[in-house]
C-alpha cells in the first residue's frame, strides 16, 4: 500500500463502566442480532443542542445489538426484546432513528418501535403493515427550531421488502413517526427489482431505486436507476436518473446513507462498490481511490476484500474495508475521490469494527469486547485526528483553497410565498493564487430559481481580498429563466436546499463546511388573516363581554338554516340553539341590515400586520344560515363564463363539507374564456374582493351570523387563508302583517273622521255661545 504504516491512534482505550456487571446481570428477553455479516453503526444525526454536550444516541448492529446514549463510553448489556413479542430468535434486518429517543426496527420481518426515555423502555408493534418487510428508510430534518414542515419530514418513514418486482413489492408509509403505516402502490410501468425507497425531501419526491434484470438494457436505464414519484413533477414516472452499475458478489445487497442536512447527498454501497450522488440520485457516480505514490495514482475500486463499513458526517466520509484498510474523503459537489489513510495489521481479516465520527476531523474505530465475568460488553475505541494523519502521510495533499466562507443564512429555514423573492448573502476569502470561488446550487430547480453575483467587499486584516456573494431566490415558475413546461409547481410549491460550497476543495478542507439553507416554496406557518372590526356590538352597548362569556346562547329559527348547506328550507326541523364561543370570536361586528357589507381582510405574519388582502375570497355561515344574499349577479360582475357557487361545489363532494368545498385549489375565475358557458347571467355572483363592487346583503332580520371567510385566489398565497368572524345585524323593525292599502284606507278614514268630529264639535260650541234673539 505504498509503504503506509498502520494508522496511529490519538487516543486508544477500552471503555467500560465504573460499576462492574456481575454474572447475575443478564439481559432479559430475546437478544437481538443483526442479519448481515458486516456490522453497522447508526447514530442519531441531529445536534439538538444538548446543554451538557452529551453525544447523540447510537446503535451498534452486529452479532449482538447495543444501544448507547453516552458514545459507547460505558459497558452495555445486549439489547433485547420481550420474549412475548419475539422468540426464540430476534434477527434485526433494519433500524432507523425516528426521534432522539425512538427507534424503529425490523425484527424477523415485523416492525417495532423502541422508545427509551429517562431510563424507561417500551416496545410497540406498529399498525398497518400486513406483510413481512426487510428494510426501513427515513431522513431527518436537522435544522434548528420547531418548524412544522421540518418536524413532518422527520416523522416520515418507509418500510418495505427488497429483492422482488418493484410493482409487486410491499411498501408502507408512515407519517406519524412509525406508529401507523399505510400501503404505497407503485405503477405497473416500473420494471425491475426493488432495491430501496427514499424520501428525497429537497427534490419534493419519493425516490425508488430499481435494478434492471433484463440483459442488454443500456443507456439511460442501464443497470440500476432511480425513478421518482409524487411531488410536483408533471408526469410521475417520466423522471428517472441516469443508469449506474451496482457491482456486488452474491446479489446487490444495497446499503445507503442520506445526508441529514438534506443537501441531496446520497451514498450507496455494496460489498464491492461505493457510489455517491450529490443531487438526490439524478446522477450517481463511483468513488475513486487515491494511493500514496509519486505521482499520486487514482484507482476506480477499493483494494482489499470488500467494504465493511461506511460512515459520514456533515462534511466527511470514511470507509473501512474487511481487511481493515481505512479511507477518508470530503463530501464535495464535484470531487468523488477518497485517500488511503492506512491499515491495521493487528486485526486484519476481522470485521467486527465500525466507524464513528465524534466531531469534525475526529474519527473513532469502535469494536465490542465481551467480558469474562458477565453478559456485558466493553468497547475498544481508537480515536485519531484525520487531518493530522493526512498531513503526516500525505504531505503533498492540496491545502484548503479558501480561508473564510460564512453566511448568516446557514442552517436556517426560509419560506418564499407566492411571487415573493428572498435575498441572501455570503462572505468568502480565497487564498491568494488559488482562484477558488463558491458555487451556488439548488437541489430542486423545478421549484426554486436564483440569480447570483459576486462583488469585492474590502480586505481582511492580512490584506486578502474579501468578496460578497449576493443571491436572489424566487419561484422558478415566475423567474422567466426556465421553459414554461419545466416547472408546473405553483399551485402546491415544494422544497429545495440552497447550497454554497467551494468545488474541489480537497480532503484537508473538512472544517470548511458548505453553507446551506432549507427553502420552502410554500406557506409560511405564521401567516394568517383577520377580519377587521371597526364597530362592535359591545362598543355600542348592545352586549357586554361578561354576558357573551357566560355560556351565552342564541337561537336560529328552523326556517333560516340548512344543516346540509344547500340553502334549502327544512320545515321538519327544530330551532337551533347555538353556544357563542367568545374565546374564538370575541365581540361581534355590528352591522345594519339595510347596509350591504364587504368584509375587510387583514394579512398578518406572526404578530405583524402585512397588508390588506386584495385577493378574491368567499364566505359561508357556519351554522347553515341562508337568509343573506349577494349584491351582484353574474352579468353585473361582467362574467364571461358561469361563476362557481356554494351549492354546486358542495353537491360535488362525496361527504359535503363547506370548509373544504371551495378553496384556492379548485377556484376558477368567471373571467376565464375556457370556463363553462354562461347559461344563467342572473345567478348571484358569490365571490368577493376589495376591488370588486360585490357585497353581502341581509334580509329583514336582527340576530347573529358566524361567517367563515376563505381566500380562494390561486396566485395570492400558498396558505389556506381563512378566518371566522361573528356579526350582529340590527336595525330591522318588527314587520306588520296588515296590507299597505288597508293601512292607508284606515289611516285616511281616521283622519276624515277626526276632521268631521272637529267640525261638528266646533259648530256645537258656537251654538252654545250665541244669545237668544226675540222677534217682535
Amino acid at each position: 500500500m505504498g509503504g503506509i504504516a498502520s494508522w496511529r491512534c490519538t487516543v486508544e482505550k477500552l471503555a467500560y463502566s465504573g460499576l462492574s456487571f456481575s454474572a447475575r446481570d443478564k439481559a432479559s428477553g430475546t437478544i437481538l442480532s443483526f442479519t448481515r455479516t458486516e456490522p453497522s453503526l447508526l447514530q442519531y444525526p441531529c445536534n439538538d443542542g444538548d446543554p451538557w454536550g452529551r453525544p447523540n444516541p447510537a446503535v451498534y448492529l452486529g452479532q449482538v445489538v447495543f444501544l448507547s446514549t453516552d458514545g459507547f463510553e460505558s459497558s452495555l448489556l445486549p439489547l433485547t426484546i420481550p420474549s412475548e413479542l419475539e422468540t426464540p430468535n430476534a434477527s434485526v434486518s433494519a433500524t432507523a432513528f425516528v426521534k432522539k429517543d425512538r427507534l424503529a426496527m425490523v425484527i424477523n420481518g415485523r416492525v417495532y418501535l423502541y422508545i427509551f426515555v429517562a431510563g424507561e423502555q417500551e416496545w410497540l408493534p406498529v399498525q398497518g403493515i400486513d406483510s413481512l418487510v426487510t428494510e426501513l428508510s427515513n431522513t431527518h430534518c436537522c435544522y434548528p427550531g420547531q418548524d412544522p414542515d421540518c418536524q413532518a419530514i422527520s416523522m416520515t418513514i418507509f418500510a418495505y421488502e427488497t429483492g422482488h418486482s418493484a410493482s409487486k413489492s410491499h411498501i408502507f408509509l408512515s407519517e406519524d413517526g412509525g406508529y401507523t403505516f399505510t400501503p404505497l402502490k407503485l405503477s405497473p410501468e416500473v420494471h425491475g427489482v426493488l432495491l430501496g425507497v427514499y424520501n428525497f425531501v429537497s427534490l419534493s419526491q419519493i425516490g425508488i431505486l430499481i435494478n434492471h434484470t433484463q440483459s442488454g438494457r443500456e443507456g439511460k436505464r442501464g443497470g440500476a436507476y432511480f425513478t421518482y414519484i409524487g411531488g410536483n413533477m408533471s408526469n410521475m414516472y417520466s423522471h428517472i436518473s441516469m443508469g449506474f452499475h451496482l457491482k456486488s458478489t452474491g446479489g446487490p445487497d444495497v446499503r445507503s446513507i442520506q445526508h441529514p442536512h438534506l443537501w441531496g447527498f446520497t451514498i450507496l454501497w455494496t460489498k464491492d462498490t461505493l457510489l455517491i450522488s450529490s443531487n438526490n440520485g439524478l446522477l450517481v457516480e463511483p468513488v475513486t481511490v487515491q494511493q500514496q505514490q509519486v505521482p499520486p495514482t487514482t484507482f476506480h475500486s477499493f483494494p482489499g476484500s470488500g467494504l465493511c463499513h461506511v460512515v459520514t458526517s456533515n462534511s466527511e466520509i470514511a470507509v473501512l474495508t474487511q481487511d481493515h484498510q481505512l479511507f477518508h474523503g470530503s463530501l464535495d459537489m464535484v470531487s468523488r475521490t477518497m485517500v488511503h489513510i492506512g491499515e491495521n495489521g493487528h486485526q486484519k481479516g476481522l470485521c467486527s469494527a465500525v466507524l464513528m465520527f465524534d466531531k469534525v476531523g475526529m474519527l473513532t474505530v469502535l469494536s465490542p469486547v465481551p467480558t469474562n465475568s458477565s453478559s456485558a460488553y466493553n468497547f475498544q475505541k481508537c480515536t485519531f485526528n484525520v487531518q493530522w494523519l493526512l498531513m503526516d502521510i500525505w504531505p503533498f495533499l492540496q491545502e484548503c483553497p479558501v480561508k473564510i466562507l460564512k453566511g448568516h443564512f446557514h442552517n436556517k429555514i426560509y419560506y418564499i410565498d407566492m411571487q415573493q423573492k428572498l435575498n441572501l448573502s455570503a462572505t468568502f476569502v480565497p487564498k491568494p493564487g488559488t482562484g477558488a470561488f463558491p458555487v451556488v446550487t439548488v437541489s430542486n430547480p423545478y421549484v426554486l430559481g436564483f440569480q447570483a453575483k459576486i462583488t469585492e467587499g474590502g480586505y481582511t486584516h492580512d490584506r486578502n481580498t474579501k468578496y460578497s456573494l449576493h443571491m436572489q431566490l424566487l419561484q422558478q415558475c415566475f423567474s422567466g429563466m426556465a421553459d414554461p413546461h419545466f416547472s408546473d409547481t405553483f399551485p402546491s410549491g415544494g422544497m429545495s436546499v440552497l447550497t454554497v460550497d467551494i468545488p474541489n476543495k480537497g480532503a484537508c478542507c473538512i472544517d470548511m463546511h458548505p453553507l446551506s439553507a432549507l427553502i420552502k416554496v410554500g406557506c409560511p406557518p405564521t401567516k394568517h388573516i383577520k377580519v377587521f372590526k371597526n364597530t362592535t356590538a359591545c362598543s355600542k352597548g348592545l352586549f357586554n363581554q361578561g354576558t357573551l362569556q357566560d355560556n351565552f346562547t342564541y337561537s336560529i329559527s328552523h326556517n333560516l338554516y340548512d344543516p346540509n348547506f344547500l340553502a334549502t328550507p327544512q320545515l321538519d326541523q327544530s330551532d337551533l340553539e347555538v353556544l357563542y364561543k367568545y374565546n374564538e370570536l370575541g365581540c361581534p361586528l355590528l352591522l345594519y341590515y339595510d347596509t350591504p357589507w364587504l368584509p375587510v381582510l387583514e394579512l398578518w405574519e406572526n404578530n405583524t400586520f402585512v397588508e390588506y388582502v386584495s385577493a378574491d375570497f368567499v364566505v359561508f355561515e357556519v351554522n347553515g344560515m341562508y337568509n343573506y344574499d349577494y349584491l351582484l349577479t353574474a352579468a353585473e360582475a361582467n362574467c364571461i363564463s358561469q361563476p362557481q357557487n356554494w351549492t354546486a361545489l358542495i353537491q360535488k363532494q362525496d361527504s359535503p363539507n363547506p370548509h373544504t368545498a371551495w378553496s384556492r385549489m379548485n377556484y376558477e375565475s368567471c373571467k376565464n374564456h375556457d370556463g363553462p358557458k354562461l347559461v344563467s347571467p342572473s345567478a348571484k355572483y358569490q365571490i368577493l374582493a376589495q376591488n370588486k363592487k360585490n357585497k353581502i346583503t341581509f334580509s329583514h332580520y336582527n340576530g347573529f351570523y358566524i361567517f367563515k371567510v376563505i381566500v380562494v385566489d390561486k396566485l395570492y398565497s400558498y396558505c389556506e387563508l381563512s378566518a371566522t368572524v361573528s356579526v350582529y345585524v340590527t336595525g330591522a323593525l318588527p314587520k306588520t302583517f296588515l296590507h299597505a292599502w288597508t293601512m292607508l284606507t284606515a289611516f285616511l278614514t281616521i283622519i276624515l273622521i277626526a276632521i268631521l268630529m272637529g267640525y261638528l264639535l266646533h259648530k256645537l260650541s258656537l251654538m252654545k255661545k250665541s244669545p237668544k234673539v226675540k222677534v217682535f
Side-chain angles (χ1 to χ4, degrees):
M1 299 301 300
I4 299 178
S6 300
W7 67 66
R8 298 184 296 278
C9 303
T10 305
V11 177
E12 186 173 12
K13 64 179 179 180
L14 181 68
Y16 59 92
S17 298
L19 296 175
S20 61
F21 290 88
S22 66
R24 292 177 296 178
D25 294 321
K26 294 183 178 180
S28 60
T30 306
I31 296 177
L32 302 180
S33 62
F34 195 37
T35 55
R36 291 185 171 97
T37 56
E38 298 83 13
S40 181
L41 183 99
L42 180 68
Q43 290 175 283
Y44 179 69
C46 300
N47 181 9
D48 292 342
D50 191 318
W52 306 105
R54 289 170 293 200
N56 286 339
V59 177
Y60 174 90
L61 300 162
Q63 293 182 353
V64 287
V65 177
F66 302 99
L67 172 64
S68 174
T69 57
D70 63 358
F72 296 95
E73 287 294 319
S74 58
S75 303
L76 293 173
L77 289 171
L79 189 62
T80 62
I81 186 171
S83 300
E84 55 268 23
L85 294 178
E86 296 292 342
T87 190
N89 300 313
S91 297
V92 178
S93 60
T95 185
F97 275 102
V98 183
K99 281 187 173 183
K100 195 171 185 177
D101 55 7
R102 187 189 309 167
L103 269 172
M105 282 191 177
V106 178
I107 304 174
N108 295 340
R110 292 174 283 273
V111 182
Y112 295 90
L113 280 181
Y114 178 59
I115 303 170
F116 51 98
V117 182
E120 299 293 328
Q121 298 88 32
E122 183 180 11
W123 287 91
L124 296 174
V126 304
Q127 304 296 318
I129 297 181
D130 55 7
S131 62
L132 298 181
V133 296
T134 57
E135 300 295 331
L136 295 172
S137 172
N138 72 333
T139 189
H140 291 269
C141 182
C142 294
Y143 289 85
Q146 300 297 318
D147 183 85
D149 289 310
C150 189
Q151 292 176 331
I153 292 169
S154 299
M155 291 290 101
T156 302
I157 184 169
F158 295 96
Y160 54 95
E161 61 173 347
T162 59
H164 302 282
S165 171
S167 59
K168 298 180 181 179
S169 294
H170 297 287
I171 304 174
F172 301 91
L173 168 65
S174 173
E175 297 179 306
D176 61 0
Y179 287 98
T180 58
F181 286 79
T182 56
L184 179 67
K185 293 294 184 182
L186 298 183
S187 168
E189 298 176 12
V190 181
H191 301 289
V193 175
L194 179 67
L195 297 181
V197 181
Y198 304 92
N199 186 16
F200 289 143
V201 176
S202 58
L203 196 59
S204 300
Q205 298 285 295
I206 298 172
I208 310 296
L209 179 58
I210 304 295
N211 190 36
H212 261 296
T213 56
Q214 301 175 16
S215 60
R217 296 283 303 204
E218 299 295 339
K220 194 174 184 182
R221 294 196 186 187
Y225 69 97
F226 281 98
T227 184
Y228 302 91
I229 66 173
N232 303 309
M233 293 184 178
S234 57
N235 190 331
M236 288 179 112
Y237 294 97
S238 65
H239 290 77
I240 62 173
S241 72
M242 297 296 293
F244 53 94
H245 294 279
L246 285 167
K247 299 176 183 179
S248 180
T249 56
D253 180 17
V254 182
R255 302 165 80 172
S256 60
I257 299 174
Q258 285 184 266
H259 198 282
H261 283 284
L262 309 178
W263 294 343
F265 275 104
T266 303
I267 292 92
L268 305 173
W269 83 93
T270 66
K271 182 179 179 182
D272 305 308
T273 307
L274 177 62
L275 304 167
I276 292 183
S277 171
S278 60
N279 49 23
N280 295 295
L282 291 171
L283 180 61
V284 181
E285 300 174 288
V287 173
T288 57
V289 180
Q290 195 174 54
Q291 303 281 40
Q292 186 188 13
Q293 297 178 7
V294 181
T297 304
T298 300
F299 296 89
H300 292 282
S301 62
F302 285 86
S305 56
L307 303 184
C308 177
H309 189 227
V310 179
V311 67
T312 64
S313 69
N314 287 346
S315 57
E316 301 169 83
I317 180 171
V319 172
L320 182 67
T321 63
Q322 293 192 4
D323 53 359
H324 273 224
Q325 297 186 48
L326 188 61
F327 300 84
H328 179 271
S330 176
L331 290 177
D332 190 284
M333 66 175 65
V334 176
S335 175
R336 299 290 180 265
T337 301
M338 300 183 69
V339 297
H340 182 253
I341 290 181
E343 61 179 307
N344 192 328
H346 301 293
Q347 300 181 21
K348 195 170 183 178
L350 300 177
C351 196
S352 63
V354 293
L355 302 176
M356 179 174 66
F357 279 108
D358 295 324
K359 53 185 178 180
V360 176
M362 299 300 294
L363 183 64
T364 294
V365 181
L366 174 77
S367 58
V369 180
T371 59
N372 296 325
S373 59
S374 70
S375 300
Y377 283 70
N378 302 327
F379 294 92
Q380 186 72 38
K381 303 180 74 174
C382 169
T383 303
F384 49 87
N385 188 309
V386 175
Q387 279 194 311
W388 289 359
L389 198 58
L390 288 173
M391 293 172 64
D392 185 24
I393 63 178
W394 289 83
F396 48 82
L397 277 180
Q398 170 192 330
E399 293 185 356
C400 189
V402 65
K403 289 187 173 184
I404 296 174
L405 178 62
K406 63 181 181 180
H408 294 298
F409 63 87
H410 176 60
N411 206 28
K412 294 181 181 179
I413 300 176
Y414 294 90
Y415 284 83
I416 297 179
D417 205 351
M418 190 70 68
Q419 303 190 64
Q420 290 184 344
K421 297 179 181 179
L422 176 65
N423 294 301
L424 302 174
S425 62
T427 301
F428 69 96
V429 177
K431 286 185 178 179
T434 61
F437 282 88
V439 171
V440 182
T441 60
V442 291
S443 63
N444 191 352
Y446 292 92
V447 169
L448 189 64
F450 71 91
Q451 296 174 332
K453 66 178 182 179
I454 295 175
T455 60
E456 289 190 15
Y459 298 93
T460 62
H461 65 280
D462 53 357
R463 305 304 297 169
N464 287 315
T465 305
K466 182 166 57 176
Y467 295 91
S468 295
L469 172 65
H470 304 279
M471 297 163 286
Q472 185 177 80
L473 295 93
L474 67 167
Q475 295 164 266
Q476 189 67 276
C477 56
F478 298 123
S479 69
M481 297 183 291
D483 185 275
H485 300 290
F486 180 76
S487 175
D488 58 355
T489 64
F490 82 87
S492 55
M495 284 191 176
S496 183
V497 172
L498 169 74
T499 304
V500 179
D501 197 7
I502 308 297
N504 293 316
K505 57 190 176 184
C508 292
C509 210
I510 56 178
D511 53 350
M512 193 64 66
H513 57 75
L515 305 178
S516 69
L518 180 62
I519 311 296
K520 172 69 183 295
V521 178
C523 174
T526 60
K527 184 171 282 190
H528 60 283
I529 61 170
K530 299 178 182 179
V531 179
F532 174 67
K533 297 181 181 180
N534 53 349
T535 304
T536 67
C538 297
S539 65
K540 291 298 184 179
L542 275 70
F543 294 95
N544 61 69
Q545 297 181 12
T547 301
L548 296 175
Q549 290 173 323
D550 189 20
N551 294 324
F552 177 78
T553 60
Y554 64 94
S555 179
I556 301 175
S557 176
H558 67 278
N559 61 339
L560 296 181
Y561 76 97
D562 178 7
N564 298 317
F565 297 92
L566 298 175
T568 303
Q570 306 290 323
L571 301 180
D572 57 345
Q573 66 186 4
S574 59
D575 293 348
L576 180 65
E577 293 294 324
V578 179
L579 176 65
Y580 190 86
K581 300 177 181 179
Y582 181 83
N583 290 337
E584 299 177 12
L585 302 172
C587 284
L589 177 65
L590 182 62
L591 301 174
Y592 291 91
Y593 85 99
D594 56 354
T595 303
W597 173 57
L598 177 63
V600 177
L601 307 185
E602 301 174 334
L603 181 67
W604 291 72
E605 191 160 3
N606 290 314
N607 295 318
T608 304
F609 172 78
V610 178
E611 64 181 9
Y612 290 104
V613 176
S614 59
D616 293 354
F617 62 92
V618 295
V619 302
F620 72 93
E621 210 286 329
V622 300
N623 296 302
M625 294 180 67
Y626 53 84
N627 59 335
Y628 62 92
D629 211 338
Y630 297 87
L631 188 63
L632 299 182
T633 63
E636 293 168 336
N638 299 319
C639 289
I640 57 178
S641 61
Q642 191 67 36
Q644 294 171 301
N645 64 79
W646 280 107
T647 302
L649 291 169
I650 289 176
Q651 287 176 337
K652 288 181 180 179
Q653 291 184 295
D654 295 331
S655 300
N657 182 358
H659 297 275
T660 59
W662 207 345
S663 69
R664 57 177 295 269
M665 299 306 292
N666 66 350
Y667 171 62
E668 296 293 340
S669 172
C670 71
K671 307 299 174 64
N672 184 4
H673 289 274
D674 297 327
K677 183 179 179 181
L678 181 60
V679 295
S680 181
S682 61
K684 287 295 185 177
Y685 183 60
Q686 299 183 355
I687 295 94
L688 305 169
Q690 293 300 319
N691 57 355
K692 296 181 179 180
K693 297 179 180 180
N694 200 21
K695 295 183 179 182
I696 295 174
T697 60
F698 296 99
S699 62
H700 195 96
Y701 176 79
N702 293 332
F704 285 94
Y705 294 85
I706 311 297
F707 285 109
K708 184 170 183 179
V709 181
I710 303 172
V711 176
V712 295
D713 193 330
K714 293 178 184 291
L715 297 177
Y716 183 70
S717 173
Y718 283 107
C719 300
E720 301 293 336
L721 296 172
S722 64
T724 304
V725 61
S726 62
V727 168
Y728 186 76
V729 176
T730 188
L733 296 176
K735 289 184 177 180
T736 178
F737 295 97
L738 297 177
H739 195 275
W741 285 107
T742 304
M743 290 286 292
L744 180 60
T745 302
F747 180 69
L748 293 176
T749 302
I750 292 172
I751 291 177
L752 183 61
I753 292 172
I755 293 173
L756 182 61
M757 289 298 295
Y759 173 76
L760 292 175
L761 289 174
H762 179 67
K763 293 294 291 182
L764 289 174
S765 65
L766 290 177
M767 291 176 64
K768 289 180 180 181
K769 293 180 180 180
S770 299
K772 293 182 179 180
V773 180
K774 185 181 283 189
V775 179
F776 293 95

